[in-house]
Amino acid sequence: MEDSVTLDADQLRARARLLELLDRRGRPIKRHRGLYLHGRPGRGKTMLMDDFFAGAASNRKRRFHFHNFFAQLHVVAHESGSIDKAIDHLLGHVELVCFDEFHVHDIGDAMLIARMLDALFARRIVLVVTSNYPPERLLPNPLFHDRFLPTIARIRAHLDTVSVDGSLDYRTRAAHGGSGFASGCYRIGDAGDVDTARVAVSGTREIHASAIDGSAITFDFAALCGTATAASDYVELARRFRRWTLRDVAALREVPPDWAMRLVNLVDVLYDADLELTVEARTSLSDLVADVPAVPDLARTASRLSELRQPESVTLG
């Protein structure tokens, strides 16, 4: 890992624990326990995991954003009828797996995640996870939380938990611009009229786009996040389009919670793929996410959007 980066106490502790998962040659030690790093957005969890992953001397390692892995798991498990077969298909004979942004909010997903974790633990794969939540806060919905407690206990039994939750959100100090996700911008203004197009997903469904130009795509917020789209759709489209614009984004307190949750998922997918995103909104970023009740992971979205350039207010279109 880069020694030139000044790490806080939590990050140093986490790095030391990560290095314990490797032998003297940098190879993953096939051991019973892995590591679960948790803390608020922007505290360096992904940086630490990615540095660890890059330094692991193995050609049998895989790193996934949890949205991407889970989308693939759904498809393969449905086709094969077996979680074990799906795990074999996606992971093969890996000895190290890293999951970024692990979370559980839906009871249906929770049951599949429980089976997936059992399969991974049975294979004694070295597992490293980052999350905004400690294990006890996974699936926080009080109607279903008790049903996930056995899985939380298994996570605790197989993974050591380490808090990475320093006082500073490092994304707020990052220089705006550069390449990938951070090369986009966050603009404020009134959206103008544009043509409409359609883009196919999953081979059969279509989503209305505002414009398609080569590897660039533009969506109205209501057309993408106000309809029954899923994170798996965003994963599929992210493989086909490298530059994204999301227009006419309203203050999230003014729209249904499922619209805001889709925005969270979209930003997660584009951020992990490091794709350029331009947001054209009706209000400032701080106001966009203010006073929004019961939308998990919105703080992470705000932290990530803060990396975008924020020019003066303009008339959009």
Side-chain angles (χ1 to χ4, degrees), residues 104-302:
V104 188
H105 299 307
D106 176 83
I107 184 59
D109 289 347
M111 297 302 100
L112 185 57
I113 289 169
R115 293 170 61 191
M116 176 201 74
L117 288 173
D118 283 345
L120 289 174
F121 292 148
R123 286 165 171 75
R124 300 178 67 82
I125 294 169
V126 178
L127 180 62
V128 176
V129 171
T130 74
S131 179
N132 293 144
Y133 307 91
E136 290 75 17
R137 289 179 53 203
L138 295 171
L139 193 62
N141 188 325
L143 295 176
F144 305 116
H145 183 73
D146 285 352
R147 295 174 58 181
F148 201 63
L149 289 177
T151 300
I152 292 172
R154 288 196 290 277
I155 290 171
R156 282 289 192 182
H158 289 271
L159 303 177
D160 291 328
T161 60
V162 175
S163 173
V164 183
D165 199 37
S167 59
L168 179 62
D169 180 346
Y170 286 86
R171 295 193 189 111
T172 64
R173 298 184 62 180
H176 297 298
S179 61
F181 184 88
S183 66
C185 66
Y186 184 100
R187 301 176 181 142
I188 306 168
D190 296 323
D193 295 330
V194 295
D195 296 331
T196 59
R198 293 184 179 184
V199 59
V201 290
S202 303
T204 57
R205 294 184 294 109
E206 290 186 334
I207 303 174
H208 287 275
S210 300
I212 299 174
D213 182 10
S215 63
I217 192 164
T218 299
F219 286 104
D220 273 14
F221 174 59
L224 185 62
C225 298
T227 57
T229 55
S232 57
D233 297 327
Y234 313 148
V235 170
E236 179 183 337
L237 291 171
R239 298 191 185 107
R240 295 154 55 186
F241 299 99
R242 309 303 297 172
R243 295 171 54 231
W244 288 61
T245 300
L246 191 63
R247 304 172 66 252
D248 200 26
V249 183
L252 298 180
R253 62 182 175 276
E254 299 173 358
V255 301
D258 58 328
W259 290 35
M261 193 69 243
R262 292 188 188 103
L263 178 63
V264 169
N265 292 339
L266 175 67
V267 172
D268 278 351
V269 169
L270 298 183
Y271 190 91
D272 187 67
D274 199 24
L275 300 183
E276 179 183 326
L277 172 64
T278 293
V279 174
E280 300 178 348
R282 301 177 191 173
T283 188
S284 68
L285 176 57
S286 60
D287 188 58
L288 185 86
V289 298
D291 304 318
V292 182
V295 175
D297 302 320
L298 188 57
R300 182 173 70 239
T301 299

Side-chain angles (χ1 to χ4, degrees), residues 22 26-28 49-64 90-98 125-126:
L22 306 176
R27 297 171 180 171
M49 186 187 73
D50 285 348
D51 284 351
F52 162 76
F53 182 82
S58 173
N59 58 7
R60 294 193 292 142
K61 60 183 180 179
R62 297 292 303 276
R63 186 267 195 205
F64 299 94
L90 293 174
L91 300 182
H93 299 289
V94 299
E95 57 186 1
L96 168 64
V97 174
C98 293
I125 294 169
V126 178

Side-chain angles (χ1 to χ4, degrees), residues 70-110:
F70 205 53
Q72 296 176 63
L73 183 68
H74 264 294
V75 171
V76 180
H78 178 74
E79 292 174 348
S80 66
S82 166
I83 289 294
D84 282 340
K85 289 180 180 178
I87 293 290
D88 287 339
H89 176 81
L90 293 174
L91 300 182
H93 299 289
V94 299
E95 57 186 1
L96 168 64
V97 174
C98 293
F99 283 136
D100 193 29
E101 304 293 1
F102 182 86
H103 60 266
V104 188
H105 299 307
D106 176 83
I107 184 59
D109 289 347

